[in-house]
Amino acid sequence: MNIKLVLLSTLLSLNLFSSSSFTGSSMSEYASNLNTKEYDWYYESRNNGEPPLSPKETRDIISKYPVYYLGNTDKKVIYLTFDEGYENGYTERILDILKKHKVPAAFFVVEPYIKSNPEIVKRMEAEGHLVCNHSAHHPSMASVLDLEKFKIELQEVEKVYKEVTGKDIAKFFRPPMGKYSELSLKYTTDLGYKTIFWSFAYRDWIPEEQPSHDFAMNKIVNKTHNGAIILLHAVSKTNAEILDQLITKWKADGYEIKSLEEL
């Protein structure tokens, strides 16, 4: 047997150093023992305003890693997040409303978004919001088995964000399309990120098929729960138009909107 692999196995079993210290092929050799099956994120809704449950088939897997789809469920707290695959003309309006209500949000951006909208990204950062990583090219991260290619997906976003803002990007990662595997969660963790899924989302991402204001308000408000990580898409005209009313309603119902940094 390869002596290096024997030594590596021994050190791991003794927990003498963390897997985050692995680089290159050694990390890939270690992680190759992990499950590469691709899963789609979903949540199991419950009645009476109770927080939803995580997927039963991966509950044991996600418990091993810093994976969040809920925050503090003991308090009336909401964590508001937006996915930014491209700009559809509504983000500045969203930022105006967040500023009016003095609430934080997290924006998960891809590399082309930062390059195409540097002034909006700088505004997000300047107004106290988290700008977070959504990958460079929006692939299924479960399909990216090679560690170096996986790192590039995150590091290209980090690089461009720092060039635009002079700051380091917040270390929260939302897997594109909610696709993940045990291996992808391991890689994400070892690159210093927390994985952020969601406990509420709805069909809001198709510009040509926007829900009505009443439908969207009822859907979101009725599914709001303690510790909710809310996923909204910023390309949605409806979301931009109801956000002021929605935040007002949340506050009237006793909810506080907090930063992902408080998870």
Side-chain angles (χ1 to χ4, degrees):
M1 183 180 289
N2 187 303
I3 294 175
K4 289 183 179 179
L5 289 178
V6 172
L7 177 59
L8 178 61
S9 177
T10 302
L11 290 171
L12 280 170
S13 66
L14 294 174
N15 197 30
L16 293 181
F17 56 86
S18 72
S19 57
S20 61
S21 65
F22 297 168
T23 57
S25 62
S26 63
M27 186 175 182
S28 293
E29 288 166 4
Y30 167 66
S32 66
N33 295 320
L34 299 178
N35 187 355
T36 60
K37 180 179 178 180
E38 180 182 88
Y39 296 97
D40 291 295
W41 177 258
Y42 69 90
Y43 50 86
E44 295 182 15
S45 293
R46 296 195 288 173
N47 296 324
N48 303 318
E50 293 182 88
L53 301 174
S54 59
K56 56 182 177 297
E57 63 269 30
T58 57
R59 213 161 281 162
D60 289 342
I61 292 174
I62 66 175
S63 67
K64 301 176 186 177
Y65 304 100
V67 174
Y68 297 86
Y69 76 102
L70 289 170
N72 186 347
T73 58
D74 293 328
K75 295 183 178 179
K76 299 193 81 169
V77 175
I78 295 170
Y79 307 84
L80 182 57
T81 72
F82 294 89
D83 280 5
E84 294 272 19
Y86 62 96
E87 180 54 43
N88 200 27
Y90 303 119
T91 304
E92 291 192 285
R93 181 172 180 175
I94 289 169
L95 288 169
D96 289 343
I97 294 166
L98 296 173
K99 185 175 183 179
K100 171 186 172 181
H101 287 277
K102 298 183 173 138
V103 298
F107 293 87
F108 288 85
V109 300
V110 293
E111 179 191 20
Y113 186 91
I114 302 174
K115 288 182 174 180
S116 301
N117 305 280
E119 294 307 314
I120 293 178
V121 170
K122 285 192 280 188
R123 181 181 171 188
M124 291 172 182
E125 190 280 327
E127 294 183 359
H129 304 295
L130 294 178
V131 182
C132 308
N133 207 319
H134 197 37
S135 81
H137 306 103
H138 208 264
S140 162
M141 298 305 285
S143 72
V144 185
L145 304 183
D146 180 78
L147 171 62
E148 293 306 312
K149 291 179 180 177
F150 195 101
K151 287 167 68 175
I152 287 170
E153 283 295 329
L154 275 67
Q155 290 175 347
E156 286 187 0
V157 180
E158 295 172 357
K159 179 176 179 291
V160 174
Y161 180 76
K162 188 151 194 176
E163 288 173 353
V164 167
T165 67
K167 306 286 181 65
D168 292 327
I169 200 164
K171 286 299 186 81
F172 300 98
F173 179 67
R174 173 162 286 154
M177 302 166 286
K179 294 184 180 293
Y180 64 104
S181 67
E182 182 170 12
L183 178 61
S184 75
L185 296 178
K186 173 75 167 101
Y187 280 167
T188 301
T189 301
D190 286 334
L191 290 170
Y193 282 83
K194 294 179 174 66
T195 298
I196 306 297
F197 288 116
W198 56 89
S199 62
F200 173 82
Y202 78 120
R203 188 179 173 86
D204 64 346
W205 61 87
I206 304 174
E208 300 78 19
E209 299 177 16
Q210 284 296 287
S212 70
H213 289 193
D214 286 345
F215 175 87
M217 280 294 298
N218 289 334
K219 183 78 170 177
I220 298 170
V221 170
N222 289 339
K223 291 295 184 181
T224 298
H225 52 269
N226 288 8
I229 295 180
I230 304 284
L231 163 57
L232 301 177
H233 286 85
V235 298
S236 166
K237 182 174 184 287
T238 295
N239 287 343
E241 290 175 346
I242 69 168
L243 186 61
D244 192 0
Q245 179 186 0
L246 180 60
I247 293 175
T248 300
K249 174 62 175 169
W250 276 334
K251 286 185 173 182
D253 289 344
Y255 286 100
E256 183 178 3
I257 299 173
K258 297 225 173 189
S259 170
L260 291 180
E261 291 178 313
E262 299 195 32
L263 286 174

